[in-house]
């Protein structure tokens, strides 16, 4: 957990990826690495997700995890495909416990104080705040920070270059998740050069927002 968390703290960004074709996985991973953003959250929303995650293992520099994990069965598949971390859109105690038992970092999704308390009770302290903008964004996170000092967050949902700085200016934010760097249409077009460009721009914005 500590190595993955340290990497996310350093990178500040997590590209959230919906991938439809396994053959795009390796060039996508290489494009992210070239853009200075060697991390990927491959969402388990498509039939190609598991194979794509496995294929990314060929690119040693990439820190590839599995997102949109909602069941233990999906978590098992993600682990078998080589996921370095697991992200869930909501709080599923069985998924959290499975990840902990298998010593893989888990970032469960939360949206309310009750869910934060339940996640902390399970031993999860780095939480996905989702959908961030729809739930009040930075203002809500600031409100959470008071009573939940032990919690840290990876907000995702509605985050872009326009509000990236606002989130990263918060000490309780480990990193932010976003899909603007790896839009599905770019993958379908095979435009990996644009992925590299967007990743590089995002990295520069993140560094400006929170210098190392």
């Amino acid at each position: 957990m500590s190595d993955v968390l340290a990497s996310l703290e350093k990178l500040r960004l997590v590209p959230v990826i919906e991938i439809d074709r396994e053959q795009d996985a390796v060039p996508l991973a290489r494009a992210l690495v070239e853009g200075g953003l060697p991390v990927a959250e491959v969402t388990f929303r498509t039939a190609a997700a598991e194979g794509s995650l496995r294929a990314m293992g060929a690119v040693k520099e990439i820190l590839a995890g599995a997102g949109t994990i909602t069941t233990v069965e999906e978590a098992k598949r993600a682990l078998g495909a080589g996921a370095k971390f697991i992200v869930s859109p909501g709080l599923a105690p069985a998924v959290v416990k499975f990840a902990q038992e298998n010593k893989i970092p888990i970032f469960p999704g939360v949206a309310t104080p009750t869910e934060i308390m339940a996640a902390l009770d399970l031993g999860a302290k780095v939480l996905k705040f989702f959908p961030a903008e729809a739930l009040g964004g930075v203002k809500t996170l600031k409100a959470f920070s008071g009573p939940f000092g032990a919690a840290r967050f990876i907000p995702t949902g509605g985050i872009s270059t326009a509000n990236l700085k606002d989130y990263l200016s918060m000490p309780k934010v480990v990193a932010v998740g976003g899909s603007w760097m790896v839009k599905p249409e770019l993958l379908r077009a095979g435009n990996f050069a644009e992925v590299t460009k967007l990743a590089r721009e995002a990295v520069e914005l993140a560094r400006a927002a929170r210098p190392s």
Side-chain angles (χ1 to χ4, degrees), residues 7-209:
S7 294
L8 296 183
E9 288 174 326
K10 181 179 179 181
L11 293 169
R12 310 171 186 85
L13 298 166
V14 181
V16 180
I17 299 162
E18 184 173 321
I19 189 165
D20 294 316
R21 302 178 303 195
E22 288 184 27
Q23 63 263 36
D24 292 333
V26 170
L28 170 58
R30 288 174 177 159
L32 289 170
V33 170
E34 187 177 347
L37 191 54
V39 59
E41 177 189 328
V42 178
T43 60
F44 268 49
R45 299 175 186 170
T46 69
E50 185 177 351
S52 296
L53 183 59
R54 184 175 288 107
M56 283 185 178
V59 182
K60 301 303 181 183
E61 300 93 336
I62 200 83
L63 176 65
T68 321
I69 299 298
T70 61
T71 66
V72 171
E73 179 57 35
E74 287 175 343
K76 288 179 180 178
R77 288 167 49 205
L79 189 62
K84 299 297 192 301
F85 60 90
I86 288 174
V87 184
S88 59
L91 181 61
V95 173
V96 173
K97 291 175 182 176
F98 171 83
Q100 291 169 338
E101 289 168 359
N102 286 275
K103 303 187 186 308
I104 181 170
I106 172 76
F107 308 120
V110 296
T112 67
T114 299
E115 291 170 350
I116 294 173
M117 290 174 67
L120 292 172
D121 190 53
L122 288 168
K125 294 184 179 180
V126 179
L127 313 174
K128 173 176 179 172
F129 177 49
F130 176 81
E133 280 293 285
L135 293 171
V138 169
K139 288 183 178 180
T140 301
L141 276 180
K142 286 181 178 178
F144 285 160
S145 295
F148 304 117
R152 302 177 71 195
F153 299 94
I154 301 176
T156 307
I159 299 176
S160 68
T161 56
N163 54 18
L164 177 64
K165 183 177 179 179
D166 295 333
Y167 283 95
L168 288 179
S169 67
M170 297 184 62
K172 291 292 184 180
V173 170
V174 173
V176 300
S179 58
W180 79 90
M181 298 155 279
V182 189
K183 298 175 183 178
E185 55 265 32
L186 293 178
L187 299 187
R188 286 192 289 268
N191 192 350
F192 299 106
E194 183 66 12
V195 171
T196 294
K197 176 177 175 288
L198 291 172
R200 188 173 290 121
E201 289 174 353
V203 168
E204 290 173 357
L205 284 171
R207 285 175 179 166

